[in-house]
Amino acid sequence: MPGVGGGRTRRAGAGSRPVRPAEADGGAPGARRTGGSPRLDRALWRALGDLGFFSLRMPEADGGVGLGLPEAVLLFEETGRALLPGPLVATHLAAGAVPGAATGETVVAAADGGLVEWLGEADVVRGDTTGAVPLRSLDPLTPLHRVPAGRAAPDPVAVLLTAAEQLGTAGRVCELAAQHARAREQFGRPVGAFQAVAHLCAGILVRAETARAAVYAAAVTADPADIAAARILADEAAVRGARDCLQVHGGMGFTWESEVHLHLKRAWVRTQRAGGVTESEEALAAALASESA
């Protein structure tokens, strides 16, 4: 179709896929809108339970899959890539402790750093939510409430799984930027041939791959310092990557037909989870200081 400056856009690859019904008003697979508020797809939640998503790290003797943190990181990376909504981390961590969480029959939310995601859809909420106040969430698929309770020390596994979701976002926006840079034409050639666009795409890739190495390493070592470093790098790769991807797409990236802006909004919301990047920076600084002492 005609583009700005007389350019043309070729319909190619995943960047031109048809909008799914669930996404027609800014949604994504796994969520529905009712009366302006996102609603969790309970059938999908139970399907995730049947597939062993929530019970992945539970012992086989307890009805789980019997795998470990590296496998969980790979799965959560894919949920980030797919923009899968819902309190995935909270329910995964509750498997084995909250009845029904492992099978997907129970949706579990958690008070996390003064915020609670999906409070209205949760069957069980871990933590004190007294005085919870609804917030207008930047991400249309992550309803938020603020709670006055003080901050608790973040669970390192929650930090790592959040980093894995951010890594999935970083990988997806890298793909989207490259696809658009190849397909979009200006002045008779793909926009990816222009140095400014090529540098944006290269930066997205470098940050994503750097974060990937850190997240995968932390999944193997489970060292708190490694997890903190992975979180810092993954947050940067997701947020900066999505912002640069928007620059590559131009105004098209803000339309509902594009998923780019949804990745940026979700990445921004995730930066507030599990203590936020500030907690990870302080944990990493403390670990480095103790090593040099």
Side-chain angles (χ1 to χ4, degrees), residues 91-117:
T91 304
H92 178 86
L93 294 178
V98 175
T103 60
E105 295 295 329
T106 302
V107 176
V108 181
D112 182 358
L115 293 174
V116 186
E117 298 180 9

Side-chain angles (χ1 to χ4, degrees), residues 155-258:
D155 183 337
V157 176
V159 175
L160 184 57
L161 295 182
T162 297
E165 288 185 295
Q166 294 285 59
L167 176 59
T169 287
R172 179 58 180 157
V173 297
C174 184
E175 294 171 358
L176 291 171
Q179 288 168 2
H180 189 75
R182 286 193 297 264
R184 175 73 171 175
E185 290 185 358
Q186 291 286 345
F187 308 107
R189 57 177 175 164
V191 296
F194 298 103
Q195 189 177 58
V197 176
H199 282 186
L200 285 174
C201 292
I204 296 170
L205 176 63
V206 169
R207 288 188 293 268
E209 291 306 308
T210 302
R212 187 184 310 282
V215 171
Y216 287 0
V220 173
T221 66
D223 181 77
D226 291 344
I227 291 174
R231 169 66 183 277
I232 295 167
L233 291 169
D235 273 358
E236 181 184 25
V239 173
R240 289 191 60 186
R243 290 175 64 180
D244 286 350
C245 185
L246 271 176
Q247 290 294 319
V248 173
H249 281 73
M252 180 180 178
F254 288 95
T255 64
W256 287 121
E257 287 77 9
S258 171

Side-chain angles (χ1 to χ4, degrees), residues 47-66:
L48 288 171
D50 291 340
L51 291 171
F53 180 89
F54 301 117
S55 61
L56 186 75
R57 296 186 303 119
M58 288 176 57
E60 290 185 78
D62 295 334
V65 180

Side-chain angles (χ1 to χ4, degrees), residues 261-273:
H261 66 102
L262 294 175
H263 281 288
L264 177 57
K265 293 169 183 175
R266 183 71 59 83
W268 271 332
V269 169
R270 289 195 203 107
T271 60
Q272 303 303 308
R273 266 201 228 149

